[in-house]
Each structure stands twice: as C-alpha cells, then as structure tokens.
Amino acid sequence: MKIGRFMMVVALGSLLVLMGFGLAQLRNVSTPTARAVTSPPPATSPQIAGVPSFADIAERVNPAVVAITAIQVAGEEQGQGQGQGENAPQEPYGQNPFEFFFGPHPMIPRGQPPVQESGGSGFIISSDGEVLTNNHVVDNASKVTVTLDDNQVYDAKVLGRDKETDVALLKIEAKNLPTVPLADSDAIRPGDWVMAIGNPLMYSHTVTVGVISAKGRHISSSSLDDFLQTDAAINFGNSGGPLVNGQGQVVGINTAITRNDYMGRMVEGIGFAIPINLVKGELEQLRSRGRVERGYLGVNVGRVDQDAKEYYKKTHSVEIKGGALVQSVEEGTPASKAGLKKGDIILKVESQDIEDYRQLTHKIASYPPGKTVSLQVLRDGAKKELKVTLGDRAKALNNEEPPGAENEKSAKDALGIRVQSLNQQTRMMYRVPDDVTGAVVVSVDPNSNAYLKGVREGMIISEVNGQPVGSVEDYRKVVSGIKKGDPVSVYIHEGRTAVYFYFRAG
C-alpha cells in the first residue's frame, strides 16, 4: 500500500516537471536561449592611435620609385658610368678559369667578354629626371637604364658617385616626372613608422613596413657611417630605394642588410639606410663635380670617456664635457703640420663645440680641401688655438696624399696591391690580433700575380723580400725598388696564421 502511494507521488511529480518544461519550450523563454539572444555582440578591436594609412603613402610614393639595371662587361673598369670603348684590354686566352680547363665556351664568341647584369632601385627627386640610388648599384657599369612605374625605359647618365657614403646621382632625359619629397632625417626617432619601397628579388614596387630601430649605426670601416637601422624587410634589389616616413617623405636610402652576426648566427629584421640629410649635403657637388670632396685632418681619434674626464679633473682641474681624443697623428698630414699631438683633445672646430669624436669626422669632412680652419685643443690642461689647412680626404684614404704619393703608383703597378696602415678602426674591421703588425691589404688587382696566388683584402703584410713592413711607408719604400717581372717574397698574416707567398711582380 505504501509502495503504491509512493509510486503515485513520483509519477505525479514527474508529470508536473514535464508539463513545466513543455510550457517553457512553447514560450521560447528558456534561460540559456534568453542569454544568447540578449547578450551584446563582441566589440571590434580598437585602432592604434597615430598609425598612418600605409596604402595612401604607397599610392603617393610608388610612381616616383624606379627600377635600375646596370650592365657591366667583365674585365672593364668604368668611371662615372662610361665604358673604355674598343681599346679596353681583352682577357687573353688561358686566363679565364673556364677556358683554362675546358677551352673556349661554345656559347660565347671569341673576343666577346662575359656580360654581367645587375639591378637595384632608385627614386626620382626632380621632375626633369634626377634619380638617387646607391653607388654600388651602378659602380663599374658600362650602361645604366631606368624603368619607371609605367614601364617606360630610359638610358641613364651617372652625374656623380660617392663611394664612401654609397650614393649615386643619375639623370634621365624626361619631363614632368612624379617626385618624392626629402624629409629631415635628423627629426625621425627610434620607434617611428617607416616604409621601404623597391624591387627586391626583381619583384617590382614591393612595399614593406616597420619602424626605425636605431640611429647612428656604424657597419663599415668608414668613419662617415651614420646609418638608420630599421626592421622593415629589405632584400637584394631594394638597394637604392627610398625609406619614407608617415608623411610619404624620404628619410633614407635603403642600402644594406645583415643576414649573419660575426659568429655566423642567423639574424633577421636588421636593415640599414643612409640618412637623407647626409645625401642632401652631397647633392650639389654630385651635380657639379661628379664626386664629393671632403676635408681631411690625418688623426686617429677616440671617445673622451668618463675615466678620461675624471683624470683631467683630478690632474689638471679641468671640467670636460665632450671632445675628441687624439690617439695618433699621421706623419706629413695636415694635422701633423699644424702641430697636433697625440693626447690632445679637440674641443672646438671653428668655435663650434665637438661633443663626440664621430662628430669631429663629420665636421671636418663638411669643409672642402684646402680650407683653413681653427681648432681649439686641450693639451696638458691648457687650451690652445691651432690653424690647420685641410687635405683631401679621398686622396688620403687612397694613399695619394703626400708625402710619398710619387711612390704609390709604382707600388701599385709592381705588385697590384693597395695597403693602408693598421689602426684601431682597421683592426676591428678585419679582426686583426693586437700582436700582429704590418700594413693591411685593402684591394688587389684581379689581373695581378698576387691575386692569382691568393692575396686578398684584409690580409696583413709584415714582410716583403725579407724587409720588415710595419706601416704604409715601409711598404712603399720596399716595393718602390721592385720592377715588373721581379720575383717577390711576401710574408702575410691572416688571423692567427702566417705564411709566405712567392710570385713575380706584375
């Protein structure tokens, strides 16, 4: 009886539950469904404040970006984009490695030197056809062409080149061309948005975006290095193209990429561009002279660090805020003639403060050769005024500056090797151990016997024909007595290895 009543109560309860569920379904008011219907839609992601419209920038700048093709005939050395013509020396049979082993190439007629074609990018800066690009894009080219955004192709003349800053100015015969404005690159800051436009891997008018990662980067042996670093993707073919800011103005010329660090580890997101302010300072000389002339002192300078400042404060009771410490003075240079000495601190040039040693190099280079400038130096705690007549930087870097300039031609003609003195900068560049002395090889004539034997840039010559070589002057003195065809013995260091090279001069 009790069990029967219990079963009736359970059945009645179940019936009531089912009825309630059914009514809820009929009225469509179940709790989960009500929540789904009444909850607001998810909010959209907010826009980043201050980000420019990259599409608008690309649309404005792209018409002024060009593709550059450079053609070089193997064995020719060109100047200012002009070939040497039919009198250029031809490579003799047997000197070409392919022909040495296999004979004349069946697809290349005898007397027809191989032709190399390379490409890069550039951008138009004047409506009548002036184009900026990198020097290495057109260096040694016998023919240069420029392809516009609308695929029109023009022959280009190289108006001027500057190897040290890797800048070239071209000219095409056209009118009413689209241009891109030049910005103030000093005003851009790390973290600012930038866009690189060019022709990487021959993909025309590729746009990549990033930020300025850093300023004032040094990536070569040139003391004029002052590169912008960016993480905007830059690849082969981007060279010479513009790096533009959020207003579509050029802040730099895309120049270099880094794939590996000094230990060989892979890196990415590191590209470099020449600040456009540096280029603007060269334009007039590139137009009028075809090259850039710069002043030269002839000193090796370094940073005045905190320890040096404390030394001068304690020893001489002198407060130093900046300046450039003279580490050495090269003999026979304008600095030596003016009386500069190692240990001097250059505080001012033409009454303008020098805050850093790199600023000194840029300041001196901004004056033309032959100009006399005043220097304020600190020597033994006392300030002195010196007058110096600047030399020619390009000639000095090519070892053409007197004294000894008359021996440089014979030295180069005899061995085909060009050398520079070992200093802090060249030691760092070529990773030369501190205990190695000599003259560093900076170029070798590819047609010379020294090149065929394996002498290359970065090697250190410490002995020629048994005579010790500790400087450029030593090298010139020894080589000046060597004639073409003479047997030569050269002792060369490469890293921690030192070996003898024997060959005939010429």
Side-chain angles (χ1 to χ4, degrees), residues 287-439:
R287 289 188 186 105
S288 60
R289 295 193 179 102
R291 61 191 177 94
V292 180
E293 295 181 342
R294 299 183 177 93
Y296 174 74
L297 266 182
V299 295
N300 180 28
V301 294
R303 180 180 290 106
V304 180
D305 60 17
Q306 188 60 37
D307 291 332
K309 294 176 182 178
E310 292 178 359
Y311 171 84
Y312 270 85
K313 183 177 181 180
K314 183 176 182 180
T315 307
H316 300 293
S317 300
V318 176
E319 294 272 1
I320 303 176
K321 294 183 178 180
L325 174 63
V326 178
Q327 303 281 16
S328 63
V329 180
E330 297 180 32
E331 184 179 353
T333 60
S336 174
K337 295 174 183 178
L340 271 170
K341 298 181 179 180
K342 69 178 190 314
D344 287 349
I345 296 179
I346 301 176
L347 301 175
K348 295 184 178 182
V349 176
E350 291 289 275
S351 301
Q352 295 186 14
D353 291 336
I354 299 299
E355 299 177 0
D356 182 77
Y357 73 103
R358 291 171 180 158
Q359 183 188 0
L360 173 70
T361 304
H362 283 271
K363 185 67 177 175
I364 293 298
S366 69
Y367 295 115
K371 181 176 177 60
T372 300
V373 298
S374 62
L375 306 179
Q376 185 187 82
V377 302
L378 184 67
R379 180 182 299 169
D380 298 327
K383 293 180 180 179
K384 298 177 65 69
E385 296 288 334
L386 299 176
K387 294 285 187 180
V388 56
T389 300
L390 302 177
D392 188 309
R393 180 179 175 86
K395 291 181 178 179
L397 293 181
N398 288 323
N399 296 318
E400 297 173 8
E401 193 82 345
E406 67 280 0
N407 290 332
E408 175 61 20
K409 188 176 187 303
S410 61
K412 183 181 177 183
D413 287 348
L415 301 185
I417 300 173
R418 190 181 294 278
V419 298
Q420 285 185 3
S421 297
L422 266 179
N423 52 37
Q424 182 181 10
Q425 198 172 53
T426 51
R427 282 186 183 276
M428 289 179 62
M429 179 182 179
Y430 296 111
R431 301 176 192 171
V432 180
D434 292 337
D435 58 347
V436 173
T437 59

